[in-house]
Amino acid sequence: MRLGVLDVGSNTVHLLVVDAHPGAHPLPAHSHKVELRLAQLLDDSGGIGDAGVERLIEVVHEALRAAEDKGVEELLPFATSAVRDADNADEVLARVRDETGTELQVLSGEEEARLTFLAARRWYGWSAGKLLVIDIGGGSLEIAYGMDEEPDAAVSLPLGAGRLTAGWLPGDPPEADDVRALRRHVRTEIARTVGDFTRRGVPDHVVATSKTFKQLARIAGAPGSAEGPYVQRELKRESLEAWVPRLAAMTTAERAELPGVSEARAGQLTAGALVAEGAMDLFGVERLEICPWALREGVILRRLDHMGRR
C-alpha cells in the first residue's frame, strides 16, 4: 500500500510518501516539505500565535493535496515538541482538525525517542548490538538506548536547536557570553540523564539522526547526500570540537555557505553543534554514525507492524 506520514515538526511540516507492506523495506515515493519553524513562532505567553496557526493550517492543506495527488491510501499525521509544548496546544489541534479534517496525534517526547530508536534498530539490524541513539530536533533532544527494538531507556529534553537559538542566541553572530551560557545550560541538562544510560553498560554502536547531525557530519567531511543513503557517514567528536568555535564566530549567511548546510537551518546550527558536542562528550562518544532513518520511518514501521499482526 502507499502510506503517507505527515510530520508537523518544530522546524518543518514534512509529508513523506512510501510504498510499503509488512515485512518489506519502505520505498520512498515522494517528499513534500515546508519550512515553518513553529518552535520560533511562540508568542510571549508560550502559545502559537494566530499567524502561526493560520500558516500551519495552510501548510497542512498543501500536504493533504499532495498526498491525494500521489495516491496515498492511508495518512499518519503527527506533531512533535513545538505543538506539544505550546500553551494553546489543544486550541491549535482543534483548529487544525476543524479546518482540515486532520487529527494530529501529538507524540510525547519519550514516544519520539522510542520510535526513532525503532527506525535505527531496523536500519542497522541485530548485529549492531546495544544501540545508543541521539536525535536533535528543532524543539527537543531525544536519547534512547537498548538491545531490542524497544529501548531500555528513553528520554526527551527541551534542547532542540531551534528552541535554543530563539531563547539563548539572539545575536548574529552570537555573543561569546551567550554561547558560553548556552553551553553550560546544555551540559547541565544532559548530565542529569547520563547516569540512567551509563549504568546499563557501554553501547556497541552509537548512531545519530536528524538534519542537525547530518549537516555537522557533512561540514566535518562526510559524503554528501548525492552519494545516496547507503554510504557510511560518521562524525568524530574531535572534528566537532574543532568546528564549534568556528560556527559560533560565523554569521548565519556564512554558515549557509558551508557544504550541506541549508539557508533555513544555518541560523540554528551553532546551538545544534553545542548540543551534539555536549551529548558526545558527556556520554563518552568518540565517534558516531549517521542513520538515514529517523522518526518518520519509525512511525511507518510501527504501523506496518500493527498491520502484520491482523
Side-chain angles (χ1 to χ4, degrees), residues 5-16 30-39 41 52 54-66 262 264-265 296:
V5 172
L6 180 57
D7 175 2
V8 178
S10 298
N11 282 315
T12 62
V13 175
H14 189 171
L15 170 69
L16 175 65
H30 180 70
S31 177
H32 175 85
K33 186 187 301 185
V34 177
E35 294 281 346
L36 192 56
R37 304 186 196 179
L38 279 177
L41 293 178
E54 291 290 346
R55 180 62 179 140
L56 172 59
I57 290 169
E58 180 184 337
V59 171
V60 170
H61 274 302
E62 291 177 18
L64 293 175
R65 287 193 293 270
S262 66
R265 301 293 184 102
R296 284 181 290 275

Side-chain angles (χ1 to χ4, degrees), residues 107-131:
L107 300 180
S108 70
E110 184 176 321
E111 285 176 316
E112 282 193 60
R114 290 182 175 279
L115 287 166
T116 302
F117 184 90
L118 171 63
R121 169 58 72 195
R122 293 282 177 90
W123 182 269
Y124 289 104
W126 299 114
S127 63
K130 290 173 287 195
L131 281 180

Side-chain angles (χ1 to χ4, degrees), residues 111-262:
E111 285 176 316
E112 282 193 60
R114 290 182 175 279
L115 287 166
T116 302
F117 184 90
L118 171 63
R121 169 58 72 195
R122 293 282 177 90
W123 182 269
Y124 289 104
W126 299 114
S127 63
K130 290 173 287 195
L131 281 180
L132 177 64
V133 180
I134 307 171
D135 177 89
I136 302 172
S140 59
L141 163 71
E142 277 72 47
I143 306 169
Y145 170 94
M147 182 71 186
D148 302 319
E149 292 198 337
E150 280 290 328
D152 299 320
V155 68
S156 177
L157 302 173
L159 298 177
R163 180 197 298 268
L164 295 178
T165 301
W168 293 79
L169 301 179
D172 188 22
E175 297 290 337
D177 287 347
D178 291 338
V179 173
R180 282 193 293 272
L182 177 56
R183 184 180 188 274
R184 286 193 298 271
H185 171 69
V186 164
R187 287 170 179 257
T188 298
E189 291 293 311
I190 295 174
R192 291 173 179 159
T193 71
V194 170
D196 294 336
F197 292 87
T198 55
R199 67 184 177 85
R200 300 174 187 275
V202 178
D204 299 306
H205 204 71
V206 181
V207 303
T209 68
S210 77
K211 191 71 170 179
T212 293
F213 269 114
K214 289 176 182 177
Q215 292 182 339
L216 292 172
R218 181 73 182 93
I219 64 175
S225 59
E227 297 190 39
Y230 300 109
V231 175
Q232 181 173 313
R233 296 171 174 87
E234 68 174 25
L235 176 63
K236 295 181 179 178
R237 192 170 90 201
E238 181 181 15
S239 299
L240 178 58
E241 289 173 343
W243 267 103
V244 168
R246 294 174 63 184
L247 291 170
M250 292 179 178
T251 64
T252 298
E254 288 170 335
R255 286 185 224 114
E257 295 296 322
L258 296 171
V261 178
S262 66

